[in-house]
Amino acid sequence: MLKTLIAFVIAVVAGAVVGSVIQTQFNLAALIELSVPISLDTRISTIIHDLLNFSPIFAAILALVLLVALPIAALCSRKLGGSERWWFISAGFLGLLCCFAVVNSLAPMPTLIAATRSWAGLGAMALSGAFAGWIFDRLWHPLPRELAEPLA
Protein backbone atom coordinates (compact mmCIF):
# COMPACT_ATOMS: atom_id res chain seq x y z
CA MET A 1 0.00 0.00 0.00
CA LEU A 2 2.84 2.41 0.84
CA LYS A 3 4.48 1.69 -2.53
CA THR A 4 1.21 2.55 -4.27
CA LEU A 5 0.82 5.79 -2.31
CA ILE A 6 4.39 6.88 -3.03
CA ALA A 7 3.99 6.06 -6.73
CA PHE A 8 0.72 8.01 -6.82
CA VAL A 9 2.14 11.12 -5.10
CA ILE A 10 5.23 11.19 -7.31
CA ALA A 11 3.08 10.73 -10.43
CA VAL A 12 0.79 13.60 -9.41
CA VAL A 13 3.70 15.92 -8.64
CA ALA A 14 5.52 15.03 -11.88
CA GLY A 15 2.37 15.45 -13.96
CA ALA A 16 1.56 18.77 -12.27
CA VAL A 17 5.06 20.12 -12.91
CA VAL A 18 4.95 19.12 -16.58
CA GLY A 19 1.39 20.43 -16.97
CA SER A 20 2.33 23.71 -15.33
CA VAL A 21 5.27 24.25 -17.69
CA ILE A 22 3.07 23.34 -20.67
CA GLN A 23 0.35 25.82 -19.74
CA THR A 24 2.97 28.52 -19.12
CA GLN A 25 4.41 28.04 -22.58
CA PHE A 26 0.97 28.17 -24.23
CA ASN A 27 0.13 31.35 -22.33
CA LEU A 28 3.43 32.98 -23.28
CA ALA A 29 2.95 31.93 -26.91
CA ALA A 30 -0.47 33.64 -26.89
CA LEU A 31 1.16 36.83 -25.63
CA ILE A 32 3.86 36.63 -28.30
CA GLU A 33 1.10 36.35 -30.93
CA LEU A 34 -0.18 39.69 -29.61
CA SER A 35 3.31 41.14 -30.19
CA VAL A 36 4.22 41.23 -26.52
CA PRO A 37 7.98 40.78 -26.23
CA ILE A 38 8.94 37.95 -23.86
CA SER A 39 12.57 37.87 -22.75
CA LEU A 40 14.28 34.73 -21.49
CA ASP A 41 14.29 36.22 -17.97
CA THR A 42 10.53 36.80 -18.17
CA ARG A 43 9.99 33.29 -19.49
CA ILE A 44 11.99 31.74 -16.65
CA SER A 45 10.40 33.89 -13.94
CA THR A 46 6.94 33.06 -15.33
CA ILE A 47 7.70 29.35 -15.25
CA ILE A 48 8.85 29.64 -11.63
CA HIS A 49 5.79 31.71 -10.71
CA ASP A 50 3.45 29.16 -12.29
CA LEU A 51 5.28 26.24 -10.66
CA LEU A 52 4.71 27.88 -7.28
CA ASN A 53 1.16 29.12 -7.88
CA PHE A 54 -0.50 27.04 -10.61
CA SER A 55 1.03 23.60 -10.13
CA PRO A 56 -0.54 23.03 -6.67
CA ILE A 57 -3.98 23.73 -8.15
CA PHE A 58 -3.28 21.51 -11.14
CA ALA A 59 -1.90 18.82 -8.81
CA ALA A 60 -5.22 18.79 -6.93
CA ILE A 61 -7.13 18.44 -10.21
CA LEU A 62 -4.78 15.72 -11.44
CA ALA A 63 -4.95 13.84 -8.14
CA LEU A 64 -8.75 13.72 -8.29
CA VAL A 65 -8.65 12.58 -11.91
CA LEU A 66 -6.10 9.84 -11.20
CA LEU A 67 -7.95 8.68 -8.07
CA VAL A 68 -10.85 7.80 -10.37
CA ALA A 69 -9.02 6.91 -13.59
CA LEU A 70 -6.25 4.61 -12.34
CA PRO A 71 -8.50 2.09 -10.53
CA ILE A 72 -10.76 2.00 -13.59
CA ALA A 73 -7.70 1.38 -15.78
CA ALA A 74 -6.51 -1.44 -13.50
CA LEU A 75 -9.97 -3.01 -13.65
CA CYS A 76 -10.10 -2.66 -17.45
CA SER A 77 -6.69 -4.27 -17.72
CA ARG A 78 -7.83 -7.26 -15.68
CA LYS A 79 -11.21 -7.65 -17.40
CA LEU A 80 -10.35 -6.67 -20.99
CA GLY A 81 -6.68 -7.62 -21.09
CA GLY A 82 -3.83 -5.66 -22.54
CA SER A 83 -0.88 -3.97 -20.99
CA GLU A 84 -1.71 -2.33 -17.67
CA ARG A 85 0.90 0.34 -18.49
CA TRP A 86 -1.05 1.45 -21.59
CA TRP A 87 -4.28 1.44 -19.63
CA PHE A 88 -2.73 3.79 -17.03
CA ILE A 89 -1.30 6.07 -19.71
CA SER A 90 -4.66 6.21 -21.51
CA ALA A 91 -6.53 6.73 -18.24
CA GLY A 92 -4.41 9.76 -17.35
CA PHE A 93 -4.88 11.26 -20.82
CA LEU A 94 -8.60 10.57 -21.17
CA GLY A 95 -9.27 11.41 -17.52
CA LEU A 96 -7.84 14.90 -17.95
CA LEU A 97 -9.70 15.39 -21.23
CA CYS A 98 -12.98 14.55 -19.50
CA CYS A 99 -12.07 16.71 -16.50
CA PHE A 100 -11.28 19.71 -18.70
CA ALA A 101 -14.57 19.28 -20.57
CA VAL A 102 -16.56 19.22 -17.32
CA VAL A 103 -14.62 21.99 -15.57
CA ASN A 104 -14.64 24.27 -18.62
CA SER A 105 -18.40 23.85 -19.00
CA LEU A 106 -18.91 24.86 -15.35
CA ALA A 107 -16.29 27.63 -15.12
CA PRO A 108 -17.67 31.17 -15.23
CA MET A 109 -14.92 32.22 -17.66
CA PRO A 110 -14.37 30.69 -21.10
CA THR A 111 -11.97 28.07 -19.66
CA LEU A 112 -10.44 27.41 -16.28
CA ILE A 113 -6.99 26.76 -17.77
CA ALA A 114 -6.24 29.08 -20.69
CA ALA A 115 -4.00 26.57 -22.46
CA THR A 116 -7.02 24.29 -22.97
CA ARG A 117 -8.72 26.84 -25.25
CA SER A 118 -7.02 25.35 -28.32
CA TRP A 119 -6.95 21.73 -29.45
CA ALA A 120 -3.16 21.76 -29.29
CA GLY A 121 -3.18 23.11 -25.74
CA LEU A 122 -5.91 20.71 -24.66
CA GLY A 123 -3.97 17.78 -26.08
CA ALA A 124 -0.69 18.92 -24.56
CA MET A 125 -2.26 19.39 -21.14
CA ALA A 126 -3.91 15.96 -21.39
CA LEU A 127 -0.49 14.51 -22.21
CA SER A 128 0.62 15.57 -18.74
CA GLY A 129 -2.03 13.16 -17.44
CA ALA A 130 -0.66 10.44 -19.71
CA PHE A 131 2.80 11.20 -18.35
CA ALA A 132 1.49 10.89 -14.78
CA GLY A 133 -0.12 7.54 -15.64
CA TRP A 134 3.16 6.32 -17.09
CA ILE A 135 5.13 7.52 -14.05
CA PHE A 136 2.66 5.78 -11.73
CA ASP A 137 3.02 2.51 -13.60
CA ARG A 138 6.82 2.72 -13.82
CA LEU A 139 7.06 3.24 -10.05
CA TRP A 140 4.36 0.74 -9.14
CA HIS A 141 5.46 -1.95 -11.61
CA PRO A 142 9.01 -1.23 -12.82
CA LEU A 143 8.61 -4.04 -15.37
CA PRO A 144 5.40 -4.59 -17.32
CA ARG A 145 3.43 -7.41 -15.70
CA GLU A 146 3.87 -9.51 -18.82
CA LEU A 147 7.65 -9.48 -18.27
CA ALA A 148 7.61 -9.62 -14.47
CA GLU A 149 5.48 -12.78 -14.21
CA PRO A 150 7.40 -16.03 -14.64
CA LEU A 151 6.35 -18.33 -17.42
CA ALA A 152 4.18 -21.23 -16.29
Side-chain angles (χ1 to χ4, degrees), residues 23-67:
Q23 73 88 27
T24 301
Q25 298 312 307
F26 271 88
N27 291 343
L28 292 175
L31 290 172
I32 290 170
E33 283 182 23
L34 298 172
S35 301
V36 175
I38 306 290
S39 68
L40 182 59
D41 288 344
T42 301
R43 190 173 291 275
I44 291 170
S45 66
T46 305
I47 291 170
I48 292 168
H49 178 271
D50 285 351
L51 284 172
L52 295 173
N53 295 286
F54 174 74
S55 64
I57 295 165
F58 189 57
I61 292 168
L62 185 57
L64 291 173
V65 166
L66 293 180
L67 274 173

Side-chain angles (χ1 to χ4, degrees), residues 79-115:
K79 297 291 183 186
L80 302 174
S83 169
E84 193 172 60
R85 179 166 294 161
W86 286 107
W87 281 105
F88 287 150
I89 291 168
S90 300
F93 182 84
L94 295 172
L96 271 184
L97 280 181
C98 292
C99 176
F100 292 143
V102 169
V103 168
N104 289 341
S105 70
L106 299 175
M109 50 260 180
T111 59
L112 181 66
I113 299 171

Side-chain angles (χ1 to χ4, degrees), residues 4 8 28 30 34 46 50 57 60 82 86 130 135 140-141 146 151:
T4 303
F8 182 82
L28 292 175
L34 298 172
T46 305
D50 285 351
I57 295 165
W86 286 107
I135 290 288
W140 195 38
H141 300 302
E146 304 83 48
L151 296 175

Side-chain angles (χ1 to χ4, degrees), residues 114-139:
T116 63
R117 289 182 186 145
S118 70
W119 287 108
L122 180 65
M125 289 298 293
L127 282 174
S128 67
F131 177 67
W134 178 76
I135 290 288
F136 176 79
D137 182 73
R138 293 295 294 154
L139 295 173

